[in-house]
Amino acid sequence: LVVVSLIGCSSKTHKEDHQLLTVKKTGTAPSLDGVGMDNCWNLATWHPLDQNWLGEAYAYEDFNGRYKLSWDENYLYVLVEITDDDLVDNYEDPLKLWWDDDCVEVFVDEDNSGGLHQFDHNAYAYHIAMDGNVVDLAPDREPRLYNDQVRSARATNENQKNWELEIYKHNDTNID
């Protein structure tokens, strides 16, 4: 499981901004082929995925990752590069046990309000599976596919896996 927290979520009334990143706007959207050779990626900075949120610590040789960000008026773009010898995709049904499969998980709090994502779409926790399906929990506490909000492409070269994501920018007034 790879987690990219673009804007952290919190239940505090006042939240501090931490780890603010400057993200360059692109004039030309990336091609979404999973390769990451587009001009917007050449101009973007790599950021490490170096926080272990769950489970045992892992060796850098076994797993490491990094990501780049870009945006335009309608989309947030994310390029994720993962080095891992084995990705797991055990469940065919994208709405069953999706958290047990390897994926890229992106947290987005569009208005930086610190809103919750679980059962409340003031923020989102997109789980992007290896087959491209996107799952999050809906306000009715049931998993839903959000394939209309995130498009992705994945490419693999030996132990390196790239995800290229296009995430529709919205706010909590246009949720499902």
Side-chain angles (χ1 to χ4, degrees):
L1 173 68
V2 176
V3 178
V4 177
S5 180
L6 299 177
I7 298 176
C9 298
S10 169
S11 60
K12 296 184 210 174
T13 353
H14 172 73
K15 87 179 175 51
E16 295 180 36
D17 290 324
H18 295 283
Q19 299 176 347
L20 297 177
L21 303 174
T22 300
V23 179
K24 293 183 181 179
K25 183 178 180 181
T26 183
T28 306
S31 60
L32 288 187
D33 55 11
V35 178
M37 298 302 291
D38 303 281
N39 193 46
C40 69
W41 302 133
N42 294 331
L43 299 173
T45 303
W46 283 112
H47 302 284
L49 289 171
D50 58 0
Q51 303 298 309
N52 185 13
W53 286 21
L54 297 170
E56 301 289 324
Y58 46 84
Y60 182 85
E61 298 75 29
D62 179 49
F63 170 85
N64 64 79
R66 59 189 188 161
Y67 67 98
K68 290 183 174 185
L69 302 169
S70 189
W71 65 281
D72 63 23
E73 288 79 14
N74 298 311
Y75 298 99
L76 172 67
Y77 302 103
V78 184
L79 175 64
V80 181
E81 179 185 281
I82 303 300
T83 301
D84 194 333
D85 59 342
D86 187 33
L87 292 180
V88 177
D89 188 14
N90 292 324
Y91 303 100
E92 189 174 325
D93 184 342
L95 301 177
K96 301 288 185 204
L97 301 171
W98 68 93
W99 58 84
D100 283 343
D101 285 336
D102 285 328
C103 69
V104 171
E105 184 173 4
V106 179
F107 292 87
V108 178
D109 182 359
E110 178 72 22
D111 62 1
N112 198 23
S113 66
L116 299 175
H117 71 85
Q118 193 174 30
F119 316 130
D120 175 1
H121 283 158
N122 181 259
Y124 287 83
Y126 295 117
H127 302 78
I128 300 102
M130 290 191 292
D131 65 2
N133 280 306
V134 181
V135 180
D136 191 14
L137 290 172
D140 66 2
R141 299 180 178 252
E142 294 296 322
R144 294 278 186 277
L145 289 178
Y146 291 92
N147 296 344
D148 61 331
Q149 295 182 24
V150 180
R151 288 186 333 122
S152 67
R154 193 170 60 86
T156 300
N157 182 7
E158 296 183 17
N159 287 349
Q160 182 176 310
K161 288 78 173 171
N162 289 347
W163 270 270
E164 206 166 8
L165 311 174
E166 177 185 80
I167 302 171
Y168 175 68
K169 290 175 21 184
H170 54 83
N171 59 40
D172 57 2
T173 62
N174 58 356
I175 61 173
D176 58 352

